Amino acid sequence: MTVGDHMTQLGSVMASAMFIWAIFKQWFPEDLGNHIEKYFQRLVTYFYPYITITFHEYQGDEFERSQAYMAIERYLSTNSSNCAKRLKANVIKDCKSVVLSMDDYEEVIDEFKGIKMWWTSTKSIPQQRAIFSYHADDEKRYYKLTSHRKHRDIVVGDYVQHVLDEGNAIATKTRQRKLYTNSKSENWYGNKRTMWSHIMFEHPSTFDTLAMDPNKKKEILNDLLTFSKSKDYYKKVGKSWKRGYLLYGPPGTGKSSMIAAMANLLDYDIYDLELTSVNDNTDLRKLLIDTSSKSIIVIEDIDCSLDLTGQRKKKKEDKKPDQKDPIRKKEKDKNKKKTEVTLSGLLNFIDGLWSACGSERLIIFTTNHVEKLDPALIRRGRMDKHIEMSYCCFQTFKVLAKNYLDLESHDLFATIDRMLGETKMTPADVAECLMPKSAEEDAESCLNELIKSLENAKEEARLKVVESEDNGGQKVQECDGSSDSEDD
């Protein structure tokens, strides 16, 4: 017999009792009736053999779904949906099978340590809402857990925690990583207001495919794995559980691929922060609060995102009046309207008090010109590890040859090794040469194309040096000529 059958029988008894009570109240004073009603309710509670715990989807006026509700939903979908008669089907993108969960007003039975528990999925409409103004979003969903009251300690102490732990473990196994970007206005996703929009993150880059010197790659890999397991250590030393990485080097050296490999290694979401879309420091803090733990916050090309370099030096120049130069004043006003994010606001974003609102996060800056950045922005403690993404070396080439051509050795490798030592070429350019352009191209033709590109790059570099020397000599002659005329 289910809990519903028990409730039906008890309901009939209660209805009869209430009918008798209604007649009884007509013949007794109101004060006496109130006292008798209290004792009557206690009597019903005493004989009622069940306890009920309710888990609401939303608590109060919060826009975010309850973590407990979502954990219970995942637990029941995995462990009890095969017992339910009415199910809801959800299809996840690129998922080959549907995900089933309990439909509304459905009841399932779960067992824990030999004890039976009844779960019911329920929804309600706020009474203050008029019928004609009803909307599906007004519905309040919740789960009801019912069990015999003699098992109260086990249910409250062990079973509920077991359900939450199992639900969170299922979420970790089945979670889909996301790539977020910020916009200039707030968005709504479901019932939650957010300043971020997202797509599913499906970048294939890993540390195995990353074109990089093996020793440097191993060093970065160990650093990331150590960070992901250092929750207690960061708490012990009194620091927020976060770490900053500065990736710098010429374009095409694999900075974005490195970030994707980090996310795939640690199973983190990525928040790609576009600073030019942020109005001011207040909005920057809101964006930080709206990020989740286990995430990477990325600001790419930070030297181009905002004019944050040398701001302290410019303060003295800004004190000069602009009234005599209306064009300069107009340009300053135009730039001010775009964004009011300051260097101070960005520093507080990285390691100020607000940065401690989450945990297990990486903050990554990328730049092509590290020398342009303010030293306060990239000092240790903010950008803890500086990683130079340099030009392609022979070890990097071997990784690319393995990825693109499935080659570990070849007679042309020695020539390529020598030429890479003489010429600067980015991994992106090398990869483009190694990628077959047609079905007729084989591994040897791709290697020959790379050698040809290296020869061209070497010749272009030589011509630039010669041109630079010629220009320098011409300038020296001009200077000598002008000084002679002065002497005359």
Side-chain angles (χ1 to χ4, degrees):
M1 183 178 292
T2 66
V3 68
D5 297 331
H6 287 293
M7 294 296 293
T8 302
Q9 293 181 359
L10 187 60
S12 300
V13 175
M14 292 291 294
S16 301
M18 293 303 295
F19 176 74
I20 297 173
W21 174 247
I23 298 175
F24 179 80
K25 286 179 66 175
Q26 296 180 359
W27 299 94
F28 287 88
E30 183 176 355
D31 292 341
L32 179 60
N34 290 336
H35 285 292
I36 296 176
E37 184 176 4
K38 290 180 181 178
Y39 285 110
F40 178 73
Q41 291 175 351
R42 292 180 183 177
L43 185 64
V44 171
T45 303
Y46 180 79
F47 285 103
Y48 184 67
Y50 299 102
I51 61 168
T52 300
I53 305 175
T54 303
F55 300 89
H56 290 272
E57 184 177 12
Y58 297 94
Q59 298 179 351
D61 295 330
E62 294 183 5
F63 293 107
E64 188 171 359
R65 298 179 76 197
S66 166
Q67 296 293 325
Y69 182 92
M70 291 189 291
I72 294 168
E73 185 177 48
R74 289 188 289 265
Y75 174 83
L76 294 177
S77 298
T78 303
N79 297 285
S80 303
S81 59
N82 58 337
C83 302
K85 297 178 181 178
R86 295 187 300 273
L87 299 169
K88 291 186 294 186
N90 297 311
V91 180
I92 301 175
K93 182 182 178 182
D94 297 332
C95 186
K96 296 181 180 179
S97 60
V98 297
V99 178
L100 301 177
S101 59
M102 291 172 55
D103 200 359
D104 297 325
Y105 305 112
E106 180 63 11
E107 180 184 283
V108 296
I109 300 174
D110 192 27
E111 189 169 330
F112 179 75
K113 294 183 179 181
I115 302 171
K116 285 187 177 182
M117 269 76 65
W118 292 268
W119 284 100
T120 307
S121 175
T122 311
K123 65 179 180 180
S124 63
I125 304 173
Q127 295 180 357
Q128 66 270 24
R129 300 279 189 183
I131 295 178
F132 59 81
S133 65
Y134 164 76
H135 190 271
D137 292 340
D138 296 332
E139 296 173 348
K140 306 297 181 182
R141 288 180 169 81
Y142 53 90
Y143 284 112
K144 287 200 305 182
L145 169 61
T146 305
S147 66
H148 202 284
R149 64 183 181 186
K150 67 180 179 182
H151 304 306
R152 179 190 183 101
D153 293 340
I154 296 177
V155 172
V156 176
D158 298 331
Y159 177 67
V160 171
Q161 190 60 49
H162 164 74
V163 171
L164 298 180
D165 292 342
E166 286 291 314
N168 292 329
I170 293 169
T172 302
K173 293 179 182 178
T174 60
R175 75 185 289 262
Q176 288 186 300
R177 282 173 291 110
K178 299 180 179 66
L179 173 61
Y180 293 85
T181 184
N182 59 301
S183 57
K184 292 187 177 181
S185 58
E186 294 179 339
N187 301 308
W188 283 87
Y189 283 91
N191 290 307
K192 182 181 178 182
R193 182 190 290 112
T194 177
M195 298 180 72
W196 299 93
S197 56
H198 70 268
I199 60 172
M200 294 303 166
F201 179 72
E202 299 172 340
H203 199 290
S205 178
T206 65
F207 273 86
D208 291 332
T209 62
L210 199 63
M212 195 177 198
D213 180 81
N215 293 327
K216 183 181 288 188
K217 187 190 301 186
K218 184 178 180 181
E219 177 188 342
I220 298 169
L221 189 65
N222 291 336
D223 188 83
L224 290 167
L225 293 176
T226 301
F227 167 79
S228 66
K229 300 173 184 177
S230 301
K231 179 180 180 180
D232 294 336
Y233 177 78
Y234 275 80
K235 184 176 181 180
K236 174 185 174 183
V237 299
K239 292 184 63 176
S240 300
W241 191 14
K242 61 181 179 61
R243 188 160 176 80
Y245 288 82
L246 174 67
L247 307 184
Y248 65 96
T253 51
K255 294 184 284 293
S256 297
S257 296
M258 169 66 78
I259 295 170
M262 289 178 172
N264 286 328
L265 172 71
L266 300 176
D267 199 24
Y268 284 4
D269 294 326
I270 296 179
Y271 290 86
D272 186 12
L273 177 59
E274 178 56 57
L275 283 178
T276 55
S277 297
V278 183
N279 294 325
D280 50 31
N281 294 337
T282 301
D283 281 349
L284 191 62
R285 284 195 294 270
K286 290 180 180 179
L287 286 165
L288 177 64
I289 294 170
D290 213 11
T291 60
S292 61
S293 298
K294 289 184 176 291
S295 61
I296 301 175
I297 301 174
V298 180
I299 304 179
E300 293 196 271
D301 297 321
I302 189 169
D303 54 307
C304 303
S305 297
L306 284 178
D307 188 14
L308 297 173
T309 58
Q311 280 192 352
R312 298 170 186 177
K313 186 185 296 184
K314 288 183 179 181
K315 284 183 179 180
K316 296 180 180 179
E317 299 177 2
D318 291 342
K319 291 180 180 179
K320 297 179 181 179
D322 295 326
Q323 286 77 5
K324 296 181 180 179
D325 192 350
I327 297 178
R328 182 183 174 214
K329 186 175 185 299
K330 183 178 180 181
E331 187 67 24
K332 282 181 60 180
D333 293 340
K334 182 180 177 182
N335 292 334
K336 188 176 181 181
K337 290 178 182 178
K338 289 182 179 179
T339 178
E340 294 182 0
V341 174
T342 63
L343 177 61
S344 175
L346 187 58
L347 296 180
N348 288 328
F349 175 87
I350 301 169
D351 68 347
L353 293 175
W354 289 95
S355 67
C357 65
S359 62
E360 197 173 356
R361 283 195 294 220
L362 302 180
I363 300 176
I364 300 179
F365 291 165
T366 71
T367 181
N368 298 332
H369 306 284
V370 66
E371 68 281 356
K372 291 184 179 181
L373 299 181
D374 192 300
L377 191 64
I378 59 175
R379 69 164 175 78
R380 306 293 178 175
R382 288 185 176 130
M383 294 293 105
D384 303 285
K385 190 169 184 63
H386 296 189
I387 302 173
E388 181 180 6
M389 309 296 289
S390 58
Y391 291 101
C392 188
C393 64
F394 182 65
Q395 295 298 327
T396 302
F397 159 75
K398 290 175 67 176
V399 176
L400 291 171
K402 176 66 176 176
N403 292 343
Y404 286 86
L405 302 175
D406 201 22
L407 284 178
E408 294 186 359
S409 63
H410 195 275
D411 294 339
L412 295 175
F413 274 22
T415 303
I416 294 173
D417 184 10
R418 175 180 57 79
M419 297 193 71
L420 285 173
E422 300 171 351
T423 309
K424 291 182 178 180
M425 182 174 282
T426 65
D429 291 332
V430 173
E432 180 61 26
C433 295
L434 296 180
M435 182 181 293
K437 309 302 186 300
S438 64
E440 289 75 20
E441 282 192 281
D442 57 7
E444 186 168 348
S445 63
C446 291
L447 292 176
N448 283 321
E449 182 181 349
L450 173 59
I451 292 173
K452 184 178 179 180
S453 297
L454 287 168
E455 291 174 347
N456 293 336
K458 182 178 179 180
E459 180 63 18
E460 289 177 4
R462 187 188 68 81
L463 292 176
K464 285 183 179 179
V465 171
V466 172
E467 184 180 356
S468 176
E469 290 176 351
D470 292 343
N471 292 336
Q474 185 177 358
K475 288 181 179 179
V476 170
Q477 290 178 1
E478 290 176 354
C479 290
D480 292 341
S482 61
S483 60
D484 292 340
S485 62
E486 289 176 3
D487 292 338
D488 293 340

